[in-house]
Amino acid sequence: MALFQVVVGPLSDAWGRRRLLLAGMALYMAGSLWCALAPTVGYLIAGRILQSLGAAAGTVLARAIVRDLFSGSAMTRFFSTLMVVNGVAPVVAPVIGGQLLTLTTWRAVFLALAAVGAILLLAVVFALPESLPHVNRAPAHLCTTLRTFRSLVTDLLYLRYVLAAALMFAAVFAYISGSSFVLQDTYGLTAQQFSIVFGLNGLGIVLLGQVSAWLVGRAVDEHTLLRVSLIVATLGSAGVLTCALLGLPLPLLLTCLFLAVSMLGIVLANATSLALSDHGSAAGAASSLQGLLQFLVGGLAASAMSLPGQVTAVAMGTTMTICASAALTVVYPRRS
């Protein structure tokens, strides 16, 4: 999913967004059906790869389309809505999947995903016109693509914002990967109680994302909102670590988790808007590099957290604190 974004993004700068998005949704639907019917684990893995190719197209092209259609504070407000979906999905999806498994088998989960893919495919066919005019498209040459990526990785301002988004995503990914071990195994929450906690944190992402959409351009600018949200996320993550180290009551731990996780919607929306604002002519490539970094950094953070062999509250809190504070350090200087 991370690597294919780097392919889809630059291609969309040359070919347009709509055709690749149609192909991506079709691949996602086909991969989901393949998984549902897989007779062996080998076939299941192959189906998951097809799914990831389609999902990569949807992820990278959604950001690029927003950049095509909006600019300034309007772009940030729309990203706030988009990032609510991107931020809440990893939090809520395990809850929905778990509830499905109480009613049916794992194959039905993939049938449900295929149905979602079909709905999205129809939505693109009937409701989403092409957002990138031919006059704004770049040549589809390897040398051109390499030059574009070189200009992106040498743009320190762009890198600051995409790294901040990736590191904050990693902090929340650490929570997603480790919270079931911590809250159920260590603190003794039941599956139902854990689902409620997961849902409340997802609701926090939604609510704070909408607060961000209302504030930006009215009360504060994107950079200030980004810095403040990262300060809160860092304090919340440090609170999680402190609770784990000192054995403080569970309600205090959950409060700190909520503060840290709910900042994701604000951080992703504003960091993405700031990163893409100066790269309208290469929005696909810029969006793809951001997606690559998010998944790579998130995966590395989750893997590092589990290196001791068992995911503990201290390990989760430490990983979240390191990632959130690193994101804050990256963006703290004011934009010149």
Side-chain angles (χ1 to χ4, degrees):
M1 185 171 179
L3 293 175
F4 197 64
Q5 290 186 55
V6 183
V7 177
V8 174
L11 283 178
S12 74
D13 289 333
W15 297 351
R17 321 293 187 200
R18 191 171 186 270
R19 282 188 297 171
L20 288 170
L21 193 55
L22 286 169
M25 293 303 95
L27 268 178
Y28 181 82
M29 183 176 64
S32 299
L33 288 173
W34 186 318
C35 290
L37 301 174
T40 67
V41 69
Y43 282 95
L44 179 63
I45 292 172
R48 292 289 283 167
I49 292 172
L50 280 181
Q51 269 191 312
S52 70
L53 299 182
T59 301
V60 68
L61 294 177
R63 290 191 295 261
I65 289 170
V66 173
R67 181 60 187 87
D68 291 339
L69 300 176
F70 300 96
S71 61
S73 296
M75 177 172 62
T76 307
R77 284 193 288 270
F78 202 95
F79 268 129
S80 295
T81 301
L82 179 63
M83 294 309 160
V84 163
V85 178
N86 286 349
V88 78
V91 177
V92 174
V95 178
I96 297 174
Q99 294 302 314
L100 279 174
L101 286 176
T102 64
L103 302 174
T104 183
T105 69
W106 63 268
R107 294 183 186 275
V109 174
F110 288 106
L111 290 176
L113 293 177
V116 171
I119 292 170
L120 293 175
L121 178 61
L122 291 173
V124 175
V125 169
F126 294 108
L128 187 67
E130 176 58 59
S131 63
L132 185 66
H134 284 276
V135 68
N136 294 337
R137 299 180 187 181
H141 300 309
L142 179 60
C143 291
T144 302
T145 300
L146 293 176
R147 282 197 298 268
T148 299
F149 278 121
R150 184 178 64 183
S151 68
L152 288 171
V153 298
T154 56
D155 184 343
L156 296 182
L157 198 60
Y158 166 81
L159 283 179
R160 278 170 52 191
Y161 295 130
V162 297
L163 280 174
L167 287 163
M168 184 61 201
F169 183 84
V172 175
F173 202 72
Y175 154 76
I176 293 170
S177 302
S179 58
S180 62
F181 300 100
V182 172
L183 297 180
Q184 291 186 270
D185 295 346
T186 304
Y187 286 90
L189 292 188
T190 65
Q192 191 64 37
Q193 290 169 333
F194 176 70
S195 296
I196 292 172
V197 170
F198 233 62
L200 287 175
N201 286 330
L203 180 62
I205 295 174
V206 172
L207 293 178
L208 270 295
Q210 293 309 298
V211 168
S212 172
W214 187 86
L215 287 175
V216 70
R218 295 185 175 94
V220 293
D221 60 85
E222 289 91 338
H223 194 272
T224 300
L225 197 54
L226 177 60
R227 288 200 303 161
V228 170
S229 60
L230 283 173
I231 290 172
V232 174
T234 302
L235 291 174
S237 299
V240 172
L241 178 58
T242 302
C243 290
L245 288 171
L246 301 180
L248 298 179
L250 178 60
L252 185 57
L253 175 74
L254 295 180
T255 300
C256 293
L257 270 177
F258 180 84
L259 286 175
V261 174
S262 61
M263 291 299 113
L264 180 67
I266 300 179
V267 172
L268 286 185
N270 288 276
T272 301
S273 180
L274 290 166
L276 299 186
S277 61
D278 294 332
H279 296 283
S281 61
S287 174
S288 69
L289 186 56
Q290 178 183 350
L292 174 66
L293 286 174
Q294 279 184 203
F295 281 95
L296 288 182
V297 175
L300 287 172
S303 298
M305 181 177 62
S306 61
L307 282 178
Q310 181 180 5
V311 177
T312 64
V314 172
M316 185 179 76
T318 300
T319 305
M320 292 179 66
T321 303
I322 290 173
C323 291
S325 58
L328 177 60
T329 302
V330 166
V331 303
Y332 196 80
R334 283 192 172 274
R335 179 174 178 172
S336 56

